[in-house]
Each structure stands twice: as C-alpha cells, then as structure tokens.
Amino acid sequence: MQVYADNAATTKLSDTALQAMLPYLKDTYGNASSLYRIGQTAHHGVQAARETVAKVLNAETNEIYFTSGGSEADNWAIKGIAELMAKKGKKHIITTSFEHHAVLHTVKKLAQYGFEITYLPVYENGIVKVEDVKNAIREDTALVTVMYANNEIGTIQPIAEIGAVCHEKGVLFHTDAVQAAGHLPIDVKAQNIDLLSMSAHKFHGPKGIGALYCRQGIRLPNLIEGGAQERGRRAGTEAVYAMAGMAAALKEANDNLAENTAKVTALRDRLIDGLLKIELSRLNGDRKQRLPGNVNISFEGVEGESLLLYLDMKGISASSGSACTSGSLDPSHVLLAIGLPHEVAHGSLRLSLCETNTEEEIDYIISCVPEIIERLRSMSPLWERIQKERGLA
Ligand SMILES: *Cc1c(COP(=O)(O)O)cnc(C)c1O
C-alpha cells in the first residue's frame, strides 16, 4: 500500500486546480498587460484569481499580492515592514521561537542590520500566550509576527487575540498562515490581521505561487522594481496559470472546509490513539488546538531518520523531527522550543493527513509502526539505557 502522509510538506494538485490552469498554459497565453484580446483574457484571469483569494480571506481585492510562495510572502512582509518602520526609528520585532525558517532566518538577517528581536516562548503545549505578546510590545516595536498554525506540531495560535493586542498598542501584526489557509477559517478583518502569508501547494494548488495579504493603507515597500504588475510592488509578467490554479484550489478547500475538517480530524484522532498505544510515546503539541491533519509523536529510544526509511519501505511517506534530511544533524527547533530533550526530539515522527487519506490507510500505518519501533529499539544502545533507567529491563 502506498500512503502519502506528508501533506504539511506539500500536497497533490487537485483536479479542479489543474483544470483551472490548463487554459492559461495552452490557448490563453497572452501577456496580462497587453491590450489585445488574449492579453485581456489573461488579465481577467488574474483579476478573477485575486478576487477569489480576497473573498476567502474577507479581504479587499487590492489587498492581495501574488508571490512565488510562502517564503517570499514572509520575507516581503517582514523585510518590508522593517524598512518602513526603521524610518520611524522602530527597530524591534517580536516573533516566536518556533516559526518556520522563512520567518526565523529573515528576522535573524534583520538582527545583523541592527534590529532587536524578541522570541516569545511557546511552552509545552506549543501555544503562544497573548499576555506575553502584550508584555513584549515596546515604544519601538515595528512588527509582531506569529504563525497561524505550526507546520511541525500543528498547534493553532490565538491569532485574533494577538491581533487585538497589537492594534490596541498600535503595532502591525503579520501572520504566516501557510499551514492554515485552506485548512482553517480565516477572516483578516475579524482577526485583526495586517499582513498574512499563504502558499498554494499546501492546499492542493500548484507549487511556486502564493500570496501576501497587506491591509490597505500600509505603505509596504516594493519587492521587485519593474513593470506595473501587483500594483507596481512586485514587477514581472504574471504567471496567470499559477494564480488561477491557486484560486481554484483555495475556493475548493474553503467550500469543503467543514466537511474536510470533520473527516480529517477523525482520521487524525484515530491515528493518534493508535500510535500512542506504543510504549514510551508522546504526542507533541496541544491535543485539541491543532490542525485537523497533524500528528506528531515522539518515540523514545528511536532515531527519526531510520524510522522514516523503514516507513518508506512500507510505502508510507512521512517526515521526522530532526532536520537531517536538510543536511543538519540538529533536532527540530520546534521540538526543542516545546522543551523536548534532544534525544527525544530525534525520535519524532510527523504524519500530516488530508481529506483523500482513508481509514484503511490510517490502520495500515498503525499496523506498521509498532514493529518498526520494536526493531529499531532492539538495535539501539539508547533504548537499552532508557529501559535500565526506568527499571523496564
Ligand atoms: C511551507 C511553509 C512555508 C514556505 O512556503 P513555500 O511556498 O514552500 O515557500 C512557510 N511557512 C510555513 C508555516 C510553511 O508550512
């Protein structure tokens, strides 16, 4: 059996999205800035996509800027606001210790340019405290950036409340909503969000396209100088097919949100319950305040990387809590941020589900994991030590 359980890394393109893209890859190849008919048809495609994205977020059409994805949107929002606010002498940024690297590496870069960064704790449950945000805000705070939902442990943050605190204090609020868009309801107005990042390939849209929502009236500096595309703020001929695919995927996800959430949540809970039966396992991140599709479990005495290889041999695609795949042996900064010891963080497994996963697939995973864990533990000196320490041997 082949089971794809790494939907937090990327998702399969939906048929609806593919169908929406095809016309712009074939006959409607005109430049959206051209005045003749196939150019104007492409232009209408861009407009329609922007309207669809705006509507799903409860934003205005002119508040949506298409980007190449989530990383670009995060970079633009944070560096842009930093540039804007530095002119007013504000050089303090508040974020959390478990953001995606697109945010963490961006603020680290800004620190080299004299910005001061406050990293808020996320505690054992993986949730930021609104009170901490409030206490961290200063006269010179330029921006608060807190992710909507974490990509590794799936925990959902109190976004509306954080936004309210920021607005009370007159500070701009950005959220990396890449894991939330298409999976959780978003209302930028009701949730007091000034800037929001999203990415199409996390909700069954194409790769290489995303969007930044930026509230009207914020003078966000241009990202790319050139033509008048994206209201002159991000120049370059529009990838109309990608925009159309993103809009179609987002609309589809949003139209089916309640149904998908119910289905995926049930699969998730079945998987969590099944895997937690394994000795010395623990669920990472809050059990309730988490993305419908996220399962993140640590198994003591196990190497996450080896676990992935064995799962792959069984046809299961998943992800681990260490970043070895990206060429580093450090355990995930997210798992360390919620207080896991290094060796436990190393034995973590993330399975991220979507609405096309089935109960049979979940049961297959539940049947495969225990024997793999047992085999890995039987070869592990670490497991031998753990057993001795706990009097299990
Ligand atoms: C995937 C992801 C990103 C990066 O998005 P890309 O479109 O791949 O650049 C940023 N933030 C979070 C939380 C993500 O999950």
Side-chain angles (χ1 to χ4, degrees), residues 8-9 68-72 74 99-103 147 149-151 176-179 198-202 208-210:
S68 66
S71 301
E72 183 183 317
D74 283 340
E99 297 294 312
H100 189 274
H101 283 137
V103 168
M147 70 198 315
N150 184 270
N151 47 299
D176 173 341
V178 175
Q179 290 291 329
M198 59 200 287
S199 177
H201 75 95
K202 301 289 175 75
I209 183 84

Side-chain angles (χ1 to χ4, degrees), residues 164-241:
V165 161
C166 292
H167 288 179
E168 218 171 88
K169 303 243 184 179
V171 176
L172 292 174
F173 175 46
H174 166 255
T175 185
D176 173 341
V178 175
Q179 290 291 329
H183 303 277
L184 296 172
I186 300 178
D187 181 328
V188 291
K189 291 193 176 78
Q191 293 177 297
N192 311 302
I193 299 167
D194 296 307
L195 301 110
L196 175 145
S197 308
M198 59 200 287
S199 177
H201 75 95
K202 301 289 175 75
F203 50 79
H204 303 291
K207 292 166 184 53
I209 183 84
L212 175 66
Y213 151 79
C214 179
R215 188 170 50 76
Q216 256 168 4
I218 298 173
R219 301 180 63 84
L220 186 72
N222 299 347
L223 180 68
I224 300 174
E225 307 298 336
Q229 296 91 352
E230 304 302 316
R231 284 175 297 286
R233 284 172 160 171
R234 183 186 185 270
T237 301
E238 295 94 338
V240 190
Y241 67 98

Side-chain angles (χ1 to χ4, degrees), residues 54-303:
K55 203 173 268 174
V56 169
L57 302 179
N58 191 26
E60 305 304 319
T61 307
N62 65 0
E63 293 175 322
I64 304 300
Y65 298 87
F66 285 108
T67 66
S68 66
S71 301
E72 183 183 317
D74 283 340
N75 271 259
W76 190 5
I78 297 167
K79 289 176 186 162
I81 297 302
E83 180 186 333
L84 189 68
M85 291 299 160
K87 291 181 194 147
K88 301 179 185 175
K90 297 189 177 194
K91 296 187 81 174
H92 173 232
I93 294 173
I94 299 168
T95 188
T96 75
S97 51
F98 78 157
E99 297 294 312
H100 189 274
H101 283 137
V103 168
L104 282 183
H105 291 168
T106 302
V107 296
K108 207 162 129 193
K109 177 108 188 183
L110 288 171
Q112 293 172 4
Y113 289 90
F115 281 80
E116 201 186 315
I117 317 296
T118 297
Y119 298 91
L120 299 176
V122 293
Y123 304 95
E124 204 196 329
N125 63 356
I127 297 176
V128 175
K129 288 193 175 142
V130 181
E131 199 60 25
D132 288 346
V133 178
K134 195 172 190 171
N135 293 336
I137 294 176
R138 316 188 310 211
E139 278 299 302
D140 64 340
T141 303
L143 179 71
V144 171
T145 174
V146 175
M147 70 198 315
Y148 199 125
N150 184 270
N151 47 299
E152 288 186 40
I153 56 173
T155 51
I156 301 168
Q157 308 306 310
I159 293 303
E161 292 82 354
I162 294 172
V165 161
C166 292
H167 288 179
E168 218 171 88
K169 303 243 184 179
V171 176
L172 292 174
F173 175 46
H174 166 255
T175 185
D176 173 341
V178 175
Q179 290 291 329
H183 303 277
L184 296 172
I186 300 178
D187 181 328
V188 291
K189 291 193 176 78
Q191 293 177 297
N192 311 302
I193 299 167
D194 296 307
L195 301 110
L196 175 145
S197 308
M198 59 200 287
S199 177
H201 75 95
K202 301 289 175 75
F203 50 79
H204 303 291
K207 292 166 184 53
I209 183 84
L212 175 66
Y213 151 79
C214 179
R215 188 170 50 76
Q216 256 168 4
I218 298 173
R219 301 180 63 84
L220 186 72
N222 299 347
L223 180 68
I224 300 174
E225 307 298 336
Q229 296 91 352
E230 304 302 316
R231 284 175 297 286
R233 284 172 160 171
R234 183 186 185 270
T237 301
E238 295 94 338
V240 190
Y241 67 98
M243 296 170 182
M246 173 173 178
L250 185 62
K251 184 175 186 311
E252 186 179 35
N254 206 55
D255 287 348
N256 299 307
L257 195 61
E259 195 186 317
N260 289 347
T261 300
K263 184 178 176 202
V264 180
T265 302
L267 293 175
R268 177 197 72 188
D269 291 342
R270 187 182 182 97
L271 185 53
I272 291 175
D273 292 337
L275 294 181
L276 285 182
K277 292 203 177 103
I278 296 169
E279 174 184 30
L280 291 189
S281 60
R282 54 160 280 165
L283 178 71
N284 296 314
D286 194 84
R287 170 100 203 210
K288 291 215 174 73
Q289 282 295 104
R290 72 189 300 131
L291 287 166
N294 178 283
V295 176
N296 189 308
I297 293 185
S298 298
F299 304 98
E300 286 193 42
V302 167
E303 260 303 325

Side-chain angles (χ1 to χ4, degrees), residues 287-360:
R287 170 100 203 210
K288 291 215 174 73
Q289 282 295 104
R290 72 189 300 131
L291 287 166
N294 178 283
V295 176
N296 189 308
I297 293 185
S298 298
F299 304 98
E300 286 193 42
V302 167
E303 260 303 325
E305 295 301 295
S306 326
L307 179 52
L308 287 192
L309 291 178
Y310 279 98
L311 283 171
D312 187 31
M313 284 191 261
K314 297 269 185 189
I316 301 167
S317 309
S319 163
S320 86
S322 51
C324 306
T325 40
S326 56
S328 121
L329 280 165
D330 296 331
S332 136
H333 67 286
V334 174
L335 297 175
L336 297 182
I338 60 168
L340 287 198
H342 276 238
E343 55 192 50
V344 180
H346 266 304
S348 301
L349 174 67
R350 179 188 73 184
L351 297 149
S352 42
L353 311 172
C354 78
E355 65 284 356
T356 53
N357 286 118
T358 63
E359 270 188 18
E360 290 67 40

